Amino acid sequence: MPELGNASFVTMPSYTANVATLQEAAKGAGFFSLNPDPDGVLRRAPLVIRLHGKLYSSLALEAVRIYYSLNTISIQAKQLGQGKAISGIYLGAKKLVSTDGEGRVIIPYRGASNSYRYISARDVLNKNFSAKLFVNTIVLVGTTAGGLLDFRAVPMQSVYPGVEVHANLISGLLDNKFPVEPAWTKWANLVLLIMFGLILTVWLPCLHVLRQALVSISIILLFVAFNLWMWMSQGLVLAMAIPMLLMIMLATLNLAYGLFTQEIGRAHV
């Protein structure tokens, strides 16, 4: 893949290659390293990375490219400030996969483990399976044995087979169904945080305690409904935890202060 100027990518310092015999027989190669979020949960995966100044595609992206018999993978980038932010990846000329500003996607998990069909290596070696299962199908060879330690913590469960993470990525690429977190969502999250924070900060102190509670609950429900609408209808991911914590904190402080001053008023009377 070509270099793309000053665009931001996930960067790797080095790599470990495949066994030479397997690499020479392969039609392509892709990286499969996945880094979890700071809390240790794997939610996002890069489709491309930068290594020694060049770009390389992931195992999932390369598998889908070969499956579609495509020769090219191109990247779409938009100017953002002084640099460029990745906005999507073309598979050939017909398919655009939307990504965040670093070429990552949110992994579209189908559900808990075993959401995809597994065939034991023992059955394959003993030819105890139907060959029709492998017709026109992308097959991943991986491990699920506990001793091999190929497990990840994902949003649905803390022990999840690593090979199935790549299966979810491939499925998302084939269906072109990914929750999208564009580069501009960081600014959108900041605007929403400031907007709802200012509304509650200015409005709540002017209201009676009961109305404070009603207004706070209404605004929180409105925010949750807006966030879910963006997720379900537009496929966009906006932050929910931090704005929710801010609104709950402001509502709690105002309610506590209102009840305190109300009690002082009663005592004075």
Side-chain angles (χ1 to χ4, degrees):
M1 298 178 71
E3 176 63 30
L4 197 64
N6 58 354
S8 177
F9 290 94
V10 175
T11 302
M12 293 294 179
S14 61
Y15 72 98
T16 300
N18 293 327
V19 176
T21 304
L22 296 178
Q23 184 60 53
E24 291 170 1
K27 290 185 177 181
F31 69 90
F32 52 87
S33 300
L34 299 172
N35 296 322
D37 287 347
D39 61 358
V41 178
L42 186 59
R43 299 184 180 90
R44 297 169 178 81
L47 294 181
V48 290
I49 61 169
R50 192 196 304 269
L51 174 66
H52 300 158
K54 295 183 179 181
L55 302 181
Y56 297 89
S57 58
S58 67
L59 173 66
L61 186 62
E62 187 70 3
V64 173
R65 181 191 69 81
I66 294 173
Y67 180 77
Y68 283 138
S69 299
L70 300 174
N71 295 320
T72 59
I73 296 174
S74 56
I75 298 174
Q76 184 184 64
K78 294 181 179 179
Q79 195 69 31
L80 190 65
Q82 299 298 319
K84 291 182 179 180
I86 312 306
S87 60
I89 296 175
Y90 279 98
L91 292 171
K94 63 179 181 178
K95 195 177 187 70
L96 173 65
V97 180
S98 298
T99 69
D100 68 5
E102 296 183 348
R104 301 179 303 172
V105 293
I106 297 175
I107 303 171
Y109 292 106
R110 283 189 177 182
S113 58
N114 292 288
S115 296
Y116 297 85
R117 182 165 186 171
Y118 280 80
I119 299 177
S120 171
R122 179 183 58 188
D123 291 336
V124 174
L125 293 174
N126 293 330
K127 298 182 179 180
N128 185 25
F129 68 97
S130 174
K132 293 180 180 179
L133 295 174
F134 293 162
V135 176
N136 197 30
T137 302
I138 296 177
V139 179
L140 298 177
V141 180
T143 63
T144 57
L148 297 175
L149 302 178
D150 186 20
F151 290 95
R152 302 289 184 269
V154 301
M156 294 80 61
Q157 61 189 86
S158 59
V159 180
Y160 190 88
V163 64
E164 199 163 344
V165 174
H166 299 285
N168 282 281
L169 284 168
I170 291 174
S171 178
L173 288 168
L174 292 174
D175 298 335
N176 197 15
K177 291 183 179 179
F178 286 97
V180 183
E181 193 176 26
W184 55 261
T185 54
K186 295 180 180 179
W187 298 104
N189 291 331
L190 181 61
V191 169
L192 288 173
L193 188 67
I194 295 173
M195 182 179 69
F196 282 102
L198 284 176
I199 289 175
L200 291 177
T201 301
V202 174
W203 195 7
L204 290 184
C206 303
L207 302 176
H208 187 268
V209 173
L210 180 59
R211 289 186 177 180
Q212 284 183 1
L214 292 175
V215 168
S216 299
I217 293 173
S218 299
I219 290 179
I220 290 173
L221 291 177
L222 178 64
F223 172 76
V224 172
F226 173 75
N227 201 298
L228 290 176
W229 177 77
M230 292 292 285
W231 169 277
M232 299 178 68
S233 65
Q234 306 299 315
L236 295 175
V237 179
L238 297 177
M240 179 178 286
I242 294 179
M244 285 280 289
L245 287 174
L246 175 65
M247 288 186 283
I248 292 172
M249 182 184 69
L250 289 173
T252 302
L253 289 174
N254 278 280
L255 286 171
Y257 180 76
L259 290 172
F260 177 72
T261 55
Q262 190 177 59
E263 186 63 27
I264 290 178
R266 288 177 179 175
H268 179 71
V269 171

